[in-house]
Every structure is written in C-alpha cells, then in structure tokens.
Amino acid sequence: MKQDLIEELKKIVKSKGLKYTKQREIVLDVIASSNRHLDTDEIHRLISDNHPDEKIGIATVYRSLSFLEEVGLVSSISIGIEPKKYELSMKEHHDHLICQNCGKIVEFCDEGIEKSQEKIAKKMGFKLTSHSMYLYGICQDCR
Amino acid sequence: MKQDLIEELKKIVKSKGLKYTKQREIVLDVIASSNRHLDTDEIHRLISDNHPDEKIGIATVYRSLSFLEEVGLVSSISIGIEPKKYELSMKEHHDHLICQNCGKIVEFCDEGIEKSQEKIAKKMGFKLTSHSMYLYGICQDCR
DNA sequence: GTGGCTGCAAATGGTTTGCACGACC
DNA sequence: GGTCGTGCAAACCATTTGCAGCCAC
C-alpha cells in the first residue's frame, strides 16, 4: 500500500513533467507511515530519525508538503491554536472528532452520514467530489 | 441575539476577574455580524469600516481573538493553504455545500446527519460542542 | 545537457511581546 | 488606586525565497 502511494507519486510527477526525487518520496513515506496527524516539526524530526542517511533541509520539507498537498496526496488542517497538521488524503475515507482541550484527533467513518451527504447534494443539484467533516468536543480524558 | 453574546462576554469577563473593554466587544461584534468565516485581516479591516471612530491596534485584534477563542465564544480553523478563519461557535448550526467551479456556497442543515454525529461522538466518548462540514462538488449551473 | 530540485542562508511577514500610558472596577 | 488592557514598535519565528550547485530525465 505504501508502494502504491509511491507509484502514484511517480505517475503524478511524470504527468506534470517534473522530477521524481528521493526527498519527496521520504516526506510522503513519513506521513504514510504514521498513524497520527503530524505537524511540520514532527515530520522534519521523523525524517532525521527514520532516514538518518538522508539530509533534508527544512525548506525542502515545506516545499514537498506544499507539493504533495497541491497534487492531492496529503491534506492539512489546523484547529484553534493547534499547529497545522498533515495526513494522507488518499487514505480510506474518514471524518474527524477533535478534542478542543487536548487537540486529540480521532478518525471515524460512518456509512449513514456518507449516504445522507449524497442525498442532500443531489437535492441541491450538486455533483459531489469530496468533503471534510470535523466534529469538535471534549474527549473522555479531558472531562 | 447579538445582545446575548455581549451579555455572555460580560459574564465571562467578570467571572474571571478581568476587565470588560470596548475592543473585545467590537471584535466579537464584527464576527457575530458576519455570515462568513473571517480571517484576521478581514476582521481588522471590518473593524475600521464598521467602527471608524475606534482605533484598534492589530495586536489587540490578535489578543482579543485568542481570548474569545479561549473562553469558547469563537472558534477558528484553517484547511489546506487557506488562512486561519474565525467564526462564532455559538451560532445556529449549518453545513456547507461548495461549488468548486464558481465558488457558490449553499448552506443547509440535516437532522439525520446531526443525529448520526451525536451517536458517533457518544460511542467515542466525546461530548460534542460543535462541528463543521464542507461538501465540495459542482453545482447545477456549472455542469 | 538542461531544467527542475535541493540546501543553505537570508528575507519575509504574520503573530507575539515589552513597555508606558490609559481605562475599568 | 491598583490592575488589567491597549497601542505602538520592536522582537520573534515559522515559512518562503534567491541563488549556486546537483541530480533526474
């Protein structure tokens, strides 16, 4: 599955007449390998940890993240005072529950909600392409 | 309703032993008066427009926004490269359908989805306070 | 070979902070 | 009167950018 992502990246890069680089692959790999949402700093740190042989400048991390987000492989979001966090966007679809106190993000997927969304879109004459949903609240640990 | 917010703000401020100031009221008022999500710049600009008599430094805008967010009167979010945007968190709830072609935004509210959200939150141990949902697609006129 | 990409360091610009004055309780 | 809040400008710092060398194609 991580391999699929890399193939996807290669395809995108080629179709745009751009270059495939180890750096872009590593940034994507780090995000794909994490089961959490990562902020820029964590991503940079994880690269040093997981790929000690490679040296990737912070500027390249930023450039890669922008690139990956622009082509739709990753997406980012920032809630309240939390720093911007990145995650894979091709990951099986999911929505988010966010604790307003500790910033914890829990992912979930609900068939019923997906169906309702389609129904509403149709009623309004929209052809849906994607969506994002964020539920805010206080998690068990913070109450 | 805007009056209710101001009362709420006065109560919060008093309960914390802090001071009630015109500036905090104006920042809250500007956000409450808008039907869109506003970024910091727009908020600062709107203050100059709607309250030409008052001069509020940008630093105060930031401090007021942090304060209002901290006490839960407003909330902020940033998705992708979009700048951080603020909105009332107590506002009557609604969701959004956005046309990716012409930018049209249609608001709606669906009872079924709200119910499903509550159900999920409960299952995950969250106490919900609010949520935001954005459906992206192409509207009838643009097809 | 050539254009895009990287690393470095400098520049940028949005956000925060220190301080003295003014406003609120 | 004593604090807290504000305005201003300087400080900060995460992010972006310019440039020379490097690498993928």
Side-chain angles (χ1 to χ4, degrees):
Chain A
M1 151 239 172
K2 212 184 286 183
Q3 203 52 46
D4 291 350
L5 273 173
I6 292 178
E7 287 310 317
E8 182 70 20
L9 175 56
K10 280 183 178 163
K11 212 160 59 183
I12 291 172
V13 155
K14 175 174 273 181
S15 78
K16 289 181 173 283
L18 302 176
K19 306 272 167 75
Y20 182 81
T21 65
K22 195 75 184 166
Q23 288 85 341
R24 284 172 177 166
E25 180 185 315
I26 290 178
V27 171
L28 182 58
D29 174 75
V30 163
I31 297 175
S33 302
S34 169
N35 49 359
R36 308 183 297 108
H37 294 207
L38 303 171
D39 64 37
T40 323
D41 215 48
E42 290 172 319
I43 291 170
H44 192 203
R45 196 144 11 99
L46 280 173
I47 289 173
S48 316
D49 294 354
N50 301 355
H51 304 267
D53 312 335
E54 314 286 339
K55 55 167 171 23
I56 301 191
I58 187 68
T60 299
V61 173
Y62 280 107
R63 282 186 284 227
S64 298
L65 287 173
S66 301
F67 175 77
L68 292 172
E69 179 157 33
E70 192 182 334
V71 301
L73 286 176
V74 310
S75 59
S76 70
I77 186 175
S78 164
I79 312 285
I81 61 167
E82 288 290 308
K84 189 168 277 285
K85 292 185 170 165
Y86 291 82
E87 67 172 332
L88 275 192
S89 53
M90 310 296 235
K91 175 157 59 168
E92 182 178 307
H93 179 68
H94 62 273
D95 294 307
H96 310 80
L97 255 171
I98 299 167
C99 177
Q100 291 178 310
N101 187 55
C102 67
K104 178 165 60 190
I105 301 180
V106 176
E107 299 176 350
F108 68 90
C109 189
D110 184 82
E111 192 63 29
I113 290 180
E114 307 281 319
K115 284 222 175 68
S116 303
Q117 290 174 338
E118 278 297 343
K119 205 177 64 193
I120 288 163
K122 180 169 277 180
K123 194 170 75 183
M124 302 295 195
F126 274 65
K127 185 179 181 312
L128 276 196
T129 55
S130 66
H131 75 260
S132 61
M133 181 164 81
Y134 297 88
L135 307 186
Y136 308 105
I138 307 295
C139 77
Q140 214 147 26
D141 302 339
C142 289
R143 277 196 271 172
Chain B
M1 149 237 173
K2 212 185 289 182
Q3 202 52 46
D4 291 349
L5 273 172
I6 292 179
E7 287 311 316
E8 181 70 19
L9 175 57
K10 280 183 179 162
K11 211 160 60 187
I12 290 171
V13 157
K14 174 175 273 179
S15 79
K16 289 181 172 282
L18 302 177
K19 307 269 167 79
Y20 182 80
T21 65
K22 195 74 183 167
Q23 288 85 342
R24 283 171 178 167
E25 179 186 315
I26 290 178
V27 171
L28 181 59
D29 174 74
V30 163
I31 297 174
S33 303
S34 169
N35 49 1
R36 309 183 294 109
H37 295 207
L38 302 171
D39 63 37
T40 321
D41 214 50
E42 290 172 320
I43 292 170
H44 192 204
R45 198 144 9 102
L46 280 173
I47 290 174
S48 316
D49 293 354
N50 301 356
H51 305 268
D53 311 336
E54 315 286 339
K55 56 167 170 25
I56 301 191
I58 187 68
T60 299
V61 173
Y62 281 107
R63 282 186 284 228
S64 299
L65 287 173
S66 301
F67 176 76
L68 292 172
E69 179 157 33
E70 193 182 333
V71 301
L73 287 177
V74 309
S75 59
S76 70
I77 187 176
S78 163
I79 297 178
I81 59 168
E82 289 290 306
K84 190 168 276 285
K85 293 187 170 164
Y86 292 82
E87 67 172 333
L88 274 192
S89 47
M90 315 292 229
K91 171 159 66 173
E92 181 178 304
H93 179 66
H94 64 270
D95 294 310
H96 316 261
L97 255 170
I98 300 172
C99 176
Q100 292 178 309
N101 187 54
C102 67
K104 179 164 59 191
I105 299 181
V106 177
E107 297 182 349
F108 66 91
C109 190
D110 185 81
E111 192 62 28
I113 289 180
E114 307 281 320
K115 283 222 176 69
S116 303
Q117 290 174 337
E118 277 298 342
K119 205 178 61 193
I120 288 162
K122 180 168 279 179
K123 195 170 73 184
M124 302 297 195
F126 273 64
K127 184 178 180 311
L128 275 196
T129 54
S130 65
H131 73 259
S132 64
M133 182 164 77
Y134 297 87
L135 307 185
Y136 301 101
I138 307 295
C139 76
Q140 212 149 27
D141 301 340
C142 290
R143 279 195 270 172

